[in-house]
Amino acid sequence: MRWHLAMALMIEGEALLRSDRAEEALNPLQEAASVARRSGDRPSFWRATYYQGRAYEQLLRYEQALACYRIASLTVREMAMGLEDKRYRDSFLSQPLVREVLERHGRMRSQVGKRVRRDLALMHRQEKVSRGMLNALSTIGQKLSSTLEMNALLSLILDLAIENVHAERGIVFLLDEDSGEMRPASARGVNRSDLHEVSSFSRSVIRRAGEGRSILTVDVSKDPDLSAYESLVIHEIKSILCVPMRARGRVTGVIYLDTRRATQLFSEKEKSFVESFASQAAIAIENARLFGDMRAENDHLRREVQDRNRFENLIGRSPVMRRMARRMASILDSDCNVLVLGESGTGKELVAKALHHNGPRRSGKFVAVDCGALPENLLEAELFGYVRGAFTGADRNRIGLIEEASGGTLFLDEITNTSIALQARLLRVLQEREVRRLGENLPRRVDVRIVAASNADMRSLLTQGRFRKDLYYRLNVVTIEVPPLRERCEDIPLLVAHFLNRGASDDRPSLRLAPDLMKALQRHDWPGNVRELQNAVERAIVLSSGPVIGAETLDEVLSSSLTVRERLAGAPPGRSKTGEHLMIEDALRRCLGDKAKAARYIGWNRQKLYRRMKAYGISVKYGKAA
């Protein structure tokens, strides 16, 4: 009965199989094989198993078909090996259905093996590419994070994208915040004439990508929206990939790639890679933008601070100081010679230093020379230098200050105190740009800017012939007049605060003035100008016994016939002499006529003090009786 049942089920399955109803044939054939196996009916078993393989093959389930053919083939071979007589074995193996089983098994094994090997190879290649892409993403992240300059970053993004997906051309579009449209920011493999065409045909694609959707066109020729563009046909574009870049939850740009190689068409794999890559690129672009904004802001602030602090040592907000600062600012980029005029103590050297440190020669030396501090012969040796044996005591070669200042600025303070002969030598330096050391005939080239200063009346000296006109005109390319302190009384509070803060220390905090004392300082005429004010504040800091500088301390510090209380009452100073004249007389009175002490008090040397006393007609005995 089992044999009849197996045969009936097998006949049913075979009939369904011949009617192309393979799916329905599987159930009776599987049941027939099961009944035959249980009853030990091997001929029925291999036939039922073989027809199962035929059904699976029709259903394109090749691996399962191969398994059924293998079982049927093994069963047939076992039965053949059980026939001892070779004639019966050959006769059995030559039966048509037996040969068909063996042939189908061999053919299916070959086909499935090739397919499996091909699939395995493809899978291996895909895994290798995937691992390469993952490694590439890691490397890309490091490269992108290390680049903060926008143009270099965009070029790097395109190079990495094209290299890893084997594209031929690429464009990075960035969102224009003003118009809200995507604008091409960088391109590879696209010339200027093609860039407009690419932008036009990609506008709809870019718009869709700008909405946050990746666009992948595997075959452009089958896309009616793209195949109509002449540029695509001319350049034979085969595949297009367009991926949005997102940062902070919004699309900030788009990466566009295309290729002409039919063997390098983009797939979902390239799309997934570029999507991951685009996320990193968007963050890097956002960081580059923030860095660029911060750098621009820092540069702006730095320029603003430099503009604000470039004359930081010239303290004052009065109109005359602002006028002088504008005058200085107008010549900062110039290399011309400058003549600085002003009374002693007004800060002429500070003006010269500000011009040097903010001008084109800031990297060179600033050399200052007080022309009134040295005798004529020593001053000439200092300025021009000398060679060994040029004069008594010249035991070695020495470079002059003019040569030392080459490439920088030479500040000649009180230049009107020089002789006519020395002025002639200085004029040659300005004209010929060369200097000769004392005792030497060889001229040496120098490149020096001269800033000269004087507290004298230059016009009077020119009229009297005490200063060469040609040298004056060489020096006086630009004149800067430094105002005396009495003409900018509103700057005194700033100067006092500056000197008080500078005099503070850890052991002694900054002092402050008693109420209403500032008015007394502003009413004082300050013949010694800012230098006198600085000395007065420093003496007040030393003499003050408490945190507040009182009127008594100020009375002791200020040199005048009027007391602080009289100034507070509004009494006018009533002086008619010049500020420098009064400063000299005050120093002589304070030092009881001692010229050396008076010179140190003012900040001069004795020779300069004697010359200024002679110029103002001050007696050499002045101050001794006091």
Side-chain angles (χ1 to χ4, degrees):
M1 291 299 294
R2 288 184 177 176
W3 180 85
H4 288 294
L5 178 59
M7 288 299 295
L9 291 171
M10 189 166 46
I11 292 171
E12 179 188 359
E14 188 177 355
L16 292 172
L17 186 61
R18 294 182 185 277
S19 302
D20 292 330
R21 297 162 65 182
E23 192 71 41
E24 299 177 24
L26 283 174
N27 287 333
L29 290 172
Q30 290 173 353
E31 189 175 352
S34 178
V35 171
R37 185 173 59 250
R38 287 197 303 270
S39 62
D41 184 3
R42 292 200 294 176
S44 299
F45 174 73
W46 71 260
R47 284 168 61 92
T49 305
Y50 167 68
Y51 284 117
Q52 283 185 62
R54 293 280 300 276
Y56 282 128
E57 187 175 0
Q58 285 188 17
L59 295 173
L60 304 180
R61 294 157 68 174
Y62 299 113
E63 288 80 4
Q64 292 169 296
L66 177 61
C68 292
Y69 290 153
R70 182 171 59 250
I71 294 173
S73 175
L74 288 173
T75 305
V76 168
R77 292 181 185 280
E78 287 177 359
M79 292 174 62
M81 292 300 294
L83 299 174
E84 296 181 359
D85 193 332
K86 186 176 182 300
R87 292 174 299 172
Y88 296 146
R89 188 188 310 132
D90 294 340
S91 177
F92 173 75
L93 292 175
S94 63
Q95 294 180 21
L97 188 58
V98 173
R99 287 201 311 269
E100 186 177 343
V101 169
L102 297 177
E103 290 173 359
R104 280 188 178 272
H105 175 238
R107 184 169 64 250
M108 184 59 65
R109 182 176 57 188
S110 177
Q111 292 177 357
V112 173
K114 289 180 180 178
R115 186 179 295 108
V116 169
R117 286 193 297 272
R118 185 170 62 250
D119 293 342
L120 288 174
L122 178 61
M123 184 173 64
H124 179 69
R125 286 197 301 271
Q126 290 177 344
E127 289 179 355
K128 185 177 180 181
V129 171
S130 299
R131 286 196 302 270
M133 286 186 172
L134 288 175
N135 294 333
L137 285 174
S138 176
T139 305
I140 285 169
Q142 297 175 3
K143 289 183 178 179
L144 294 180
S145 61
S146 63
T147 306
L148 291 174
E149 202 278 321
M150 182 62 76
N151 292 331
L153 177 62
L154 294 176
S155 299
L156 179 62
I157 288 173
L158 278 178
D159 291 339
L160 293 173
I162 292 174
E163 175 185 353
N164 285 278
V165 301
H166 305 290
E168 289 189 274
R169 304 193 305 178
I171 305 174
V172 172
F173 293 84
L174 295 181
L175 179 65
D176 188 346
E177 299 291 347
D178 297 331
S179 63
E181 296 182 357
M182 293 292 175
R183 305 289 187 188
S186 185
R188 279 289 184 276
V190 182
N191 54 41
R192 292 190 176 182
S193 59
D194 293 337
L195 183 60
H196 176 73
E197 181 67 19
V198 173
S199 301
S200 64
F201 82 72
S202 63
R203 189 171 294 116
S204 60
V205 179
I206 298 300
R207 188 183 303 111
R208 281 184 286 167
E211 295 172 357
R213 294 178 293 173
S214 298
I215 308 300
L216 171 61
T217 303
V218 178
D219 192 348
V220 172
S221 62
K222 296 180 180 180
D223 190 331
D225 295 332
L226 297 178
S227 59
Y229 287 95
E230 183 180 356
S231 177
L232 292 176
V233 177
I234 293 176
H235 294 286
E236 299 179 347
I237 302 301
K238 302 296 184 184
S239 187
I240 291 175
L241 179 59
C242 196
V243 176
M245 295 187 292
R246 294 182 180 86
R248 292 194 239 178
R250 68 188 188 98
V251 177
T252 59
V254 171
I255 298 177
Y256 167 86
L257 303 168
D258 63 29
T259 181
R260 294 177 294 180
R261 303 188 188 98
T263 58
Q264 294 290 348
L265 299 180
F266 301 136
S267 64
E268 291 292 334
K269 177 187 62 181
E270 282 80 12
K271 175 184 171 184
S272 300
F273 172 80
V274 177
E275 285 176 343
S276 301
F277 169 76
S279 300
Q280 299 185 28
I283 295 173
I285 289 174
E286 194 70 13
N287 291 338
R289 278 177 170 168
L290 293 174
F291 176 77
D293 294 342
M294 291 173 59
R295 183 168 58 183
E297 184 177 358
N298 287 338
D299 291 342
H300 173 72
L301 292 175
R302 189 179 296 111
R303 286 194 300 270
E304 185 176 339
V305 170
Q306 288 176 351
D307 291 342
R308 185 182 304 168
N309 295 333
R310 58 186 174 181
F311 304 139
E312 57 183 354
N313 291 326
L314 301 176
I315 300 172
R317 299 177 183 172
S318 59
V320 289
M321 287 296 289
R322 291 179 181 176
R323 198 159 48 243
M324 185 187 75
R326 287 194 297 270
R327 178 84 164 181
M328 293 172 61
S330 65
I331 61 171
L332 282 184
D333 296 331
S334 173
D335 204 20
C336 63
N337 297 326
V338 180
L339 182 61
V340 183
L341 302 178
E343 297 180 4
S344 293
T346 53
K348 296 187 292 296
E349 186 170 351
L350 293 179
V351 171
K353 287 182 177 179
L355 292 174
H356 170 76
H357 292 299
N358 294 281
R361 294 176 175 266
R362 62 176 66 91
S363 59
K365 284 187 177 182
F366 177 84
V367 179
V369 183
D370 188 350
C371 299
L374 297 173
E376 179 72 19
N377 56 343
L378 291 182
L379 178 60
E380 186 176 9
E382 285 289 319
L383 287 175
F384 296 93
Y386 52 83
V387 296
R388 181 179 180 182
F391 52 83
T392 304
D395 56 350
R396 57 187 174 85
N397 295 339
R398 180 171 179 179
I399 186 174
L401 296 180
I402 298 177
E403 283 186 72
E404 185 178 346
S406 185
T409 302
L410 177 66
F411 175 59
L412 300 176
D413 193 14
E414 302 301 340
I415 192 171
T416 52
N417 291 330
T418 56
S419 65
I420 296 296
L422 184 57
Q423 292 173 22
R425 294 202 63 182
L426 287 174
L427 178 62
R428 181 167 183 81
V429 172
L430 294 176
Q431 289 177 339
E432 305 298 334
R433 294 293 178 180
E434 61 183 27
V435 63
R436 286 190 178 91
R437 296 180 184 178
L438 298 181
E440 185 180 56
N441 294 327
L442 177 67
R444 300 173 185 269
R445 298 294 299 177
V446 291
D447 175 24
V448 64
R449 180 188 191 181
I450 302 293
V451 178
S454 176
N455 60 4
D457 185 354
M458 295 293 294
R459 296 186 180 278
S460 176
L461 294 177
L462 292 173
T463 303
Q464 298 172 14
R466 295 170 53 189
F467 197 85
R468 294 179 62 104
K469 291 184 178 181
D470 45 7
L471 178 60
Y472 171 77
Y473 294 125
R474 281 283 183 179
L475 294 174
N476 190 25
V477 178
V478 176
T479 301
I480 295 178
E481 296 185 4
V482 185
L485 188 56
R486 60 181 175 274
E487 294 182 5
R488 55 186 188 106
C489 296
E490 57 267 50
D491 292 335
I492 290 178
L494 295 175
L495 292 166
V496 171
H498 172 72
F499 295 139
L500 288 175
N501 290 332
R502 197 168 68 175
S505 63
D506 295 337
D507 299 333
R508 188 165 191 175
S510 179
L511 301 178
R512 66 179 188 276
L513 293 178
D516 297 332
L517 288 188
M518 190 61 69
K519 294 180 180 178
L521 295 178
Q522 289 179 297
R523 288 194 183 100
H524 187 51
D525 54 2
W526 300 108
N529 294 294
V530 179
R531 184 185 291 120
E532 183 184 358
L533 176 63
Q534 179 181 354
N535 292 337
V537 173
E538 290 176 356
R539 289 197 302 273
I541 293 173
V542 173
L543 296 176
S544 178
S545 58
V548 179
I549 299 176
E552 292 78 8
T553 303
L554 214 58
D555 273 338
E556 187 175 353
V557 167
L558 294 179
S559 55
S560 176
S561 59
L562 297 177
T563 65
V564 172
R565 291 183 177 82
E566 289 173 334
R567 290 194 183 88
L568 288 173
R575 296 185 177 182
S576 57
K577 299 178 181 179
T578 64
E580 189 174 64
H581 189 164
L582 294 172
M583 179 183 66
I584 295 173
E585 290 182 348
D586 170 64
L588 291 171
R589 285 197 305 270
R590 180 175 291 278
C591 299
L592 302 178
D594 190 322
K595 308 300 184 300
K597 290 183 179 180
R600 286 196 300 270
Y601 177 81
I602 297 174
W604 293 347
N605 54 43
R606 281 191 300 173
Q607 290 83 357
K608 185 174 182 178
L609 177 62
Y610 277 118
R611 283 195 296 272
R612 305 314 296 166
M613 288 176 62
K614 182 178 180 181
Y616 291 121
I618 301 175
S619 171
V620 293
K621 297 182 179 180
Y622 186 89
K624 291 185 177 180

